[in-house]
Amino acid sequence: DSGVTQTPKHLITATGQRVTLRCSPRSGDLSVYWYQQSLDQGLQFLIQYYNGEERAKGNILERFSAQQFPDLHSELNLSSLELGDSALYFCASSVDRGNPQYFGPGTRLTVL
Amino acid sequence: DQQVKQNSPSLSVQEGRISILNCDYTNSMFDYFLWYKKYPAEGPTFLISISSIKDKNEDGRFTVFLNKSAKHLSLHIVPSQPGDSAVYFCAASNFGNEKLTFGTGTRLTIIP
């Protein structure tokens, strides 16, 4: 158990819908990262927040957004969902630069 | 552009012997490297890391070696155990951009 929690574990929805994925980092970790793992791609970085502020952005689609709240939990919002958004979404946390990122169990999103 | 490469998709090793997993990178800005173990539909589990100021780091049965001039790192597992069977990913980042860039993974199978 990494100490990072993600909910829900599974999510099935239809094209065009909007969903919210939630992540709680390990106690004491200020950074939260979101990654996507599709079938045909490896783990791809989406976005990072540090202590409530966006710190880095990867190839995140404009339909996707995220935020980190004062209690440090983070939410990833995916809207206007397409079939190709079906993937595993992982959240990771770390205390700061130069430290390992610890991953949560992931949310499996299926868009029908 | 695959900046982190694991050229062996799979590796089989006898229980009790040494497992050696390899990883090459092209981006000379990377200065922090990690190895993760992953089971299907689970989050990556952090194993061991190394910064570019070192060439070796050990933690129990796991040792990571870094050859900066060759842009190559390897993970040694000694002795290999059946529970080590999983997919192993190497990942890299740099201090100024903490996003992890992952390799494509090597599936390790330990034969009892």
Side-chain angles (χ1 to χ4, degrees):
Chain A
D1 184 355
S2 66
V4 178
T5 61
Q6 289 187 249
T7 56
K9 192 166 177 60
H10 300 279
L11 201 46
I12 302 174
T13 188
T15 55
Q17 295 298 304
R18 172 189 166 96
V19 297
T20 297
L21 313 184
R22 183 188 167 106
C23 167
S24 292
R26 295 186 323 154
S27 176
D29 285 357
L30 298 177
S31 268
V32 169
Y33 311 77
W34 287 96
Y35 291 84
Q36 179 192 57
Q37 184 180 29
S38 307
L39 268 176
D40 56 347
Q41 301 234 2
L43 282 146
Q44 302 287 327
F45 169 75
L46 295 177
I47 197 164
Q48 178 203 358
Y49 278 80
Y50 178 83
N51 203 20
E53 300 288 327
E54 181 184 305
R55 184 179 258 186
K57 228 172 183 176
N59 293 329
I60 187 168
L61 299 171
E62 283 191 17
R63 301 183 284 107
F64 295 2
S65 65
Q67 53 185 328
Q68 187 179 28
F69 295 87
D71 66 352
L72 301 177
H73 90 271
S74 177
E75 293 181 356
L76 178 67
N77 301 296
L78 315 176
S79 61
S80 303
L81 285 167
E82 301 175 359
L83 295 177
D85 298 327
S86 295
L88 274 165
Y89 291 85
F90 292 105
C91 166
S93 74
S94 75
V95 62
D96 202 350
R97 301 177 196 271
N99 289 277
Q101 294 179 26
Y102 292 89
F103 283 77
T107 293
R108 178 177 291 281
L109 173 65
T110 302
V111 182
L112 300 175
Chain B
D1 174 30
Q2 189 67 32
Q3 296 186 64
V4 179
K5 300 178 188 179
Q6 294 175 255
N7 292 318
S8 299
S10 63
L11 176 68
S12 294
V13 174
Q14 207 77 31
E15 181 180 357
R17 307 293 283 265
I18 182 171
S19 295
I20 300 176
L21 297 103
N22 294 301
C23 180
D24 297 293
Y25 62 96
T26 57
N27 188 340
S28 57
M29 298 299 291
F30 288 146
D31 57 13
Y32 186 56
F33 305 88
L34 308 91
W35 283 95
Y36 287 88
K37 173 181 177 180
K38 189 177 184 304
Y39 296 111
E42 293 186 12
T45 299
F46 169 70
L47 289 174
I48 192 168
S49 63
I50 188 168
S51 76
S52 59
I53 61 172
K54 293 185 170 183
D55 53 19
K56 177 181 174 182
N57 189 27
E58 281 182 85
D59 185 0
R61 296 187 300 115
F62 302 97
T63 303
V64 56
F65 295 91
L66 176 62
N67 182 333
K68 288 185 290 293
S69 60
K71 293 191 179 70
H72 177 84
L73 66 155
S74 61
L75 174 68
H76 292 208
I77 306 173
V78 184
S80 300
Q81 300 173 353
D84 295 331
S85 295
V87 178
Y88 288 76
F89 290 91
C90 65
S93 69
N94 70 62
F95 191 79
N97 184 351
E98 299 153 65
K99 73 165 193 174
L100 291 178
T101 300
F102 282 86
T104 49
T106 297
R107 179 176 302 278
L108 175 65
T109 302
I110 305 302
I111 305 163

